[in-house]
Amino acid sequence: LGGGKLINVEYDEATGKAAIEYPNTWESAGFKEFHGGKIPGTVTCFLSAGMAAGAISGALDVDYECEEELCVSKGDPLCKFVMTPMGDKRKVIK
């Protein structure tokens, strides 16, 4: 995930919501390398999102889902993943 480089990590104990930010993930870097300057207009880091959700789910023994709010591939300055405990009102990974 971005060569192991994290920019920021947040965790809210009250809600269980967590967020991590990377300067770039291997997926967004690979997309840029493969497609040059093309911007897909959507997030590309599906595996990284799943790995982040799996890591926090395993660490806290609670099922989590992940949404990538920002993605370098779509032109954002960084990749930001927000993990939320699963529930009826939450969205599936985007």
Side-chain angles (χ1 to χ4, degrees):
L1 298 176
K5 218 178 208 186
L6 290 170
I7 296 173
N8 190 32
V9 177
E10 299 173 5
Y11 179 71
D12 181 351
E13 282 191 47
T15 63
K17 191 173 182 178
I20 52 176
E21 297 174 351
Y22 295 93
N24 204 5
T25 66
W26 64 271
E27 291 138 315
S28 59
F31 184 91
K32 185 176 183 180
E33 184 177 326
F34 189 74
H35 295 286
K38 182 180 176 188
I39 297 176
T42 186
V43 299
T44 60
C45 307
F46 300 105
L47 183 58
S48 293
M51 290 172 57
I56 193 169
S57 294
L60 300 180
D61 198 25
V62 174
D63 289 334
Y64 271 77
E65 57 192 4
C66 183
E67 180 177 353
E68 187 177 9
E69 290 186 348
L70 301 172
C71 186
V72 171
S73 300
K74 67 175 196 162
D76 293 320
L78 53 89
C79 293
K80 179 178 181 179
F81 299 93
V82 177
M83 285 82 57
T84 308
M86 285 189 176
D88 295 338
K89 298 180 182 178
R90 296 301 306 154
K91 299 177 199 171
V92 178
I93 295 173
K94 284 186 175 181

